Amino acid sequence: MYALSESVPVVAPATADGVQSLLWLVVALPLLGAAVLLLGGRATDRWGHLLGTATVAASFVVSLVLFVDLTGREESDRQVVQHLYDWIQVGRLDVGMDLLYDPLSALFLLLITGVGALIHVYSIGYMDHDPRRRRFFGYLNLFVASMLLLVLAENYLVLFLGWEGVGLASYLLIGFWQHKPSAAAAAKKAFVINRVGDIGMALAIALLFVTFGTTSFSGVSELTAGASESTLTAVGLLLLLAACGKSAQVPLQAWLLDAMEGPTPVSALIHAATMVTAGVYLVVRSNFVFDLAPHAQTAVVVVATVTLLWGAIIGCAKDDIKKVLAGSTMSQIGYMMLAAGLGPAGYAFAIFHLLTHGFFKANMFLGAGSVMHGMNDEVDMRRYGALRHAMPVTFLTFAMGYLAIIGFPGFSGFWSKDKIIETALAENWLVGLLALLGAGITGFYMTRLMLLTFFTSKRWKEDAHPHESPSVMTGPLVVLAALSVLGGVLLLGGWIESWLAPVVGEVAHHDAPLPALAITALVVVVVACGVAAAWFLVGRRDVPVTAPREVSLATRAARADLYGDAINDTLVVRPGGALVRDLVVGDRVGVDGLFTGGARVVGGLGGLLRRTQNGFVRSYALSVLGGSVLVVLALLAVNL
C-alpha cells in the first residue's frame, strides 16, 4: 500500500470489522486511565497506580488479540482502517480521526503496550514512597496513549496529534521532580529542542497538503510518483528534522542526556520502547517519500552515522550509569536510522533492531534503577563495584541486556545489529566500516559499565547498604532479560522481512564485499577488541572514587557531550538572543516610533503651549502687543 516498488501494489485498506473493530480500545484504555488519575484527585491515590497498570496491560491484551487475528489474514488483507469520526473539514482539507492497523503498527502496538506494562509494574515498587505516585502513573498512561495514537494514525495530521502528545507527556515526566532545578531545566530543554523538530513536521504536513491535497498515507503514496524530486526531497528533509528532534539525532540530540533527571522508569519508557523510536517509525512509515528522494535518504544516512558514533563516544567517558545508557540509546537509534536511510534494503532491519533494542535497553534502564534503589539513589559508577553479590537477580538480568547490546552471538542484538552492518557494507563500504567501528566502541563502554558496577572492588559510601530490589521490580527484569535473549527469533526464516513486506516492500539484497559469515566473524572480533580494551583500561586497574584532574582532550570532550551544548549556544542560542534583542530595539525605535511619534510631537507642543497659560493678565496683554507688532511689521514688509 505504501511502498512504490513493483512488489507492493497500492491496495485500498479494508474497513475494520469483527475483532479489528476493537482497535480504538488500544488507545482509549490508557487514555481513560490518564483522565481518571489526573482528574480524579486524591480520592484515587490509594489505587491509582493499579488502575494505570491495569489499563496498559488490558491494552496489551487487545493488541495481542488483534495481532493474532492479523496473522490469520491473507497478506493483501493485512491493512485495516477504522474511521472514528470526521475531525477537520475546512475547504479542501478533509481529515478524519482514522486509525490504521497493518503489520508495522501491529509490531509497535505489542512493543509499546508490552514493555510499557512491564515498566508500569516496575514503577509500582520504584515509586512506592513518592507522595505523587498517582499523578506519575497518570502521566505514564498519557504518554502510552499518545504513542499508541502516533503509530496507529492513518494520516500525518493524526500522527502529529500523537507526536505532540508524546512531547507534552515527556515534558511532564522528565520534570516530574520539579523541586529539583536540574529536572525542571531538563524538561524545558527537551521541550524546546523538540519544538524545533516539530516545526519540521508541521512544515512537511503543510507541504504535503499543498502538493497532494491530502495528508493520508494512502493518498500521498498514490500520488508521490507524479511529484517532482525537489518537492519530495524537501518533504524528506523536513521529516528528517522532525525525526532528529524526537529520536535525539544530531543536531537535536542535546536534550537526551539531561532527560535522565526524570525517574528511572521514565528513562526506560522514553529511551527504549516509545518516544525515541518515533523518528525511526516516521521515516519507515514515509518510505514512499524517501524512496523517491535519494538526497533525503543520503541525509538520513549521514545524520545516523554521525549520531551512532557521537552517542557511543559520549558513553565511553560518563560516570553516571543512566547517562552511559542514554548515550548508548542515541547510538543505537543511530543504527536504526542508518538502516532506514538505506531504503528497501534496510527498512525491515531498522524495525527489527528497534524491537530488540526495546527489550534489552528497557531491561538495562530498569536494571540501573534497581541498582540505584539498592544504593540510596547513587548514580555514580565510581561509587559502585562488586554489586553482583549483593544484587544477584539485577546482575544476571542486566548481564543479559549487556550481552545483547554488544552483539554477543545468539543474543537478540547480535542478529539485529549484524544485519544493519552487513546491509551498510553492501550499500556503502565507508558507512559500513563506521557502523562496525561503532560496534567496537559499544563493546568498550558497555563492558566498562559492567566492570565499574558489578565487578572491580567495592567503592561504596559508608551509609550504603546494597540490597536486591523487591519482586515487583525484579519480575519485569526477568521477563525483559528473556526477551533480550530470545528476540532474535524474529529473524528466523526471514519472518520480519516477509511480515513487513506489505508496508515497506521486499528487502532489496545487494552483494556485500565479504560473505555474510565473514562479516559476522569480523563484527565479533571488533566487539571483542572493545571488550578487551575495557578490561585492560578499567578492569585491571584501581578505580578512582573521584575523577582525575588530568585527562586527555578526548575524555574532556566526551564528558562535555562533545560540546553539543556549546555548539548550540554558539550557533543558535546566542545569535538568536542577539537577534531578538535587536528586533526589540527596532520595534521600539522603528515601529513604535512610526505609530506613536506623531502623538508624542503633538503632546510636546501641547506642553510648550501650556506653559504660556499662566493666568496673569499682563502676560496675556504682552502677548497681544507682541502679536500686534509682528502683524504690523509683516504688513510693512509686504508694502515695501
Side-chain angles (χ1 to χ4, degrees):
M1 172 181 174
Y2 302 121
L4 292 175
S5 64
E6 295 181 358
S7 59
V8 188
V10 177
V11 179
T15 302
D17 58 2
V19 172
Q20 298 297 330
S21 62
L22 301 176
L23 185 59
W24 65 277
L25 281 175
V26 176
V27 180
L29 286 169
L31 188 61
L32 175 63
V36 172
L37 295 178
L38 297 177
L39 301 177
R42 295 180 180 177
T44 63
D45 282 349
R46 294 181 59 184
W47 45 266
H49 56 288
L50 300 177
L51 175 65
T53 304
T55 56
V56 178
S59 185
F60 172 71
V61 172
V62 176
S63 299
L64 189 60
V65 171
L66 294 172
F67 177 76
V68 172
D69 178 76
L70 197 67
T71 58
R73 295 179 174 228
E74 294 294 331
E75 183 176 297
S76 60
D77 193 34
R78 288 179 180 169
Q79 297 163 0
V80 179
V81 170
Q82 184 174 40
H83 176 72
L84 300 181
Y85 56 88
D86 294 330
W87 183 24
I88 301 175
Q89 290 182 318
V90 179
R92 292 193 304 136
L93 182 61
D94 187 358
V95 181
M97 184 58 68
D98 297 340
L99 305 180
L100 169 66
Y101 188 65
D102 64 3
L104 179 59
S105 54
L107 295 178
F108 269 88
L109 257 59
L110 292 176
L111 177 68
I112 296 166
T113 58
V115 175
L118 292 173
I119 293 172
H120 275 70
V121 172
Y122 177 95
S123 299
I124 293 176
Y126 191 87
M127 301 295 288
D128 183 42
H129 301 294
D130 195 292
R132 300 168 65 237
R133 181 170 66 167
R134 180 260 307 169
R135 183 178 294 273
F136 178 77
F137 275 82
Y139 292 159
L140 286 183
N141 272 200
L142 178 62
F143 193 105
V144 170
S146 299
M147 189 66 193
L148 289 171
L149 181 63
L150 190 158
V151 299
L152 279 175
E154 191 279 334
N155 57 72
Y156 282 101
L157 213 54
V158 176
L159 184 150
F160 193 48
L161 181 63
W163 190 273
E164 290 302 294
V166 166
L168 170 63
S170 67
Y171 168 77
L172 296 172
L173 287 168
I174 294 171
F176 182 75
W177 287 327
Q178 68 265 29
H179 59 276
K180 298 168 55 180
S182 56
K188 289 187 289 185
K189 185 176 183 179
F191 192 82
V192 170
I193 292 180
N194 272 273
R195 296 294 73 73
V196 176
D198 293 351
I199 292 173
M201 174 68 88
L203 292 175
I205 295 173
L207 183 55
L208 285 171
F209 175 71
V210 170
T211 304
F212 304 110
T214 180
T215 62
S216 169
F217 296 144
S218 58
V220 173
S221 65
E222 292 177 4
L223 299 172
T224 47
S228 66
E229 182 178 321
S230 59
T231 298
L232 294 177
T233 299
V235 172
L237 293 177
L238 290 171
L239 292 176
L240 173 60
L241 178 62
C244 286
K246 278 290 183 288
S247 293
Q249 302 290 282
V250 174
L252 301 180
Q253 82 291 348
W255 66 270
L256 189 67
L257 272 72
D258 289 352
M260 297 300 101
E261 291 293 337
T264 301
V266 174
S267 302
L269 190 64
I270 291 178
H271 300 151
T274 55
M275 179 172 168
V276 293
T277 64
V280 181
Y281 171 81
L282 179 65
V283 174
V284 174
R285 174 62 78 188
S286 304
N287 61 83
F288 43 81
V289 172
F290 286 94
D291 285 346
L292 298 177
H295 296 301
Q297 278 188 329
T298 300
V300 173
V301 170
V302 171
V303 167
T305 305
V306 171
T307 304
L308 74 87
L309 293 174
W310 192 293
I313 292 171
I314 288 175
C316 292
K318 293 294 184 182
D319 297 313
D320 184 322
I321 186 172
K322 290 174 64 178
K323 290 191 174 183
V324 173
L325 294 176
S328 169
T329 296
M330 187 190 306
S331 179
Q332 297 305 308
I333 298 294
Y335 276 102
M336 301 172 207
M337 292 289 286
L338 170 60
L342 296 175
Y347 289 134
F349 302 133
I351 299 302
F352 181 32
H353 193 53
L354 186 152
L355 295 172
T356 60
H357 176 265
F359 301 147
F360 61 69
K361 186 53 65 65
N363 174 26
M364 288 189 289
F365 263 119
L366 296 183
S370 181
V371 171
M372 293 167 56
H373 183 270
M375 292 291 291
N376 296 333
D377 290 328
E378 178 64 68
V379 296
D380 192 338
M381 294 185 296
R382 293 171 298 185
R383 297 286 183 177
Y384 292 164
L387 291 179
R388 65 186 186 280
H389 302 298
M391 304 177 183
V393 177
T394 299
F395 164 65
L396 289 174
T397 54
F398 197 101
M400 299 302 102
Y402 158 74
L403 293 173
I405 193 173
I406 68 171
F408 191 85
F411 287 73
S412 60
F414 167 78
W415 304 106
S416 58
K417 191 188 296 183
D418 273 24
K419 293 301 296 185
I420 294 176
I421 295 175
E422 179 184 335
T423 304
L425 284 169
E427 296 292 324
N428 186 298
W429 64 268
L430 177 58
V431 172
L433 289 178
L434 292 176
L436 182 63
L437 175 61
I441 300 175
T442 301
F444 173 82
Y445 70 73
M446 286 307 305
T447 303
R448 173 178 177 268
L449 182 151
M450 287 293 293
L451 292 172
L452 291 177
T453 303
F454 297 106
F455 295 91
T456 59
S457 60
K458 299 179 182 178
R459 302 177 300 279
W460 312 334
K461 292 181 179 179
E462 294 181 359
D463 60 345
H465 302 285
H467 57 277
E468 189 59 89
S469 300
S471 57
V472 72
M473 294 172 63
T474 56
L477 293 179
V478 172
V479 175
L480 290 169
L483 293 172
S484 300
V485 177
L486 302 174
V489 300
L490 298 176
L491 192 63
L492 293 179
W495 183 86
I496 189 73
E497 302 168 56
S498 60
W499 176 256
L500 291 173
V503 181
V504 300
E506 299 291 339
V507 174
H509 294 285
H510 299 282
D511 293 332
L514 296 172
L517 187 59
I519 293 176
T520 298
L522 179 61
V523 174
V524 171
V525 169
V526 171
V527 171
C529 291
V531 172
W535 169 251
F536 282 105
L537 295 176
V538 178
R540 297 183 59 188
R541 300 182 180 182
D542 293 331
V543 179
V545 177
T546 58
R549 294 182 179 179
E550 298 296 330
V551 295
S552 65
L553 177 62
T555 301
R556 289 199 301 271
R559 288 179 178 174
D561 302 343
L562 297 183
Y563 305 111
D565 287 334
I567 294 172
N568 288 340
D569 286 343
T570 302
L571 298 181
V572 180
V573 177
R574 291 177 184 172
L579 176 62
V580 170
R581 287 191 295 271
D582 291 342
L583 289 175
V584 169
V585 172
D587 178 71
R588 291 175 179 173
V589 175
V591 178
D592 288 356
L594 178 64
F595 288 97
T596 64
R600 290 179 179 176
V601 170
V602 173
L605 292 175
L608 293 175
L609 292 175
R610 188 164 50 248
R611 295 180 181 179
T612 64
Q613 307 300 313
N614 54 21
F616 294 108
V617 176
R618 60 180 179 272
S619 297
Y620 299 154
L622 181 60
S623 299
V624 172
L625 178 60
S628 300
V629 171
L630 289 175
V631 171
V632 171
L633 291 176
L635 291 174
L636 291 175
V638 173
N639 292 328
L640 291 176

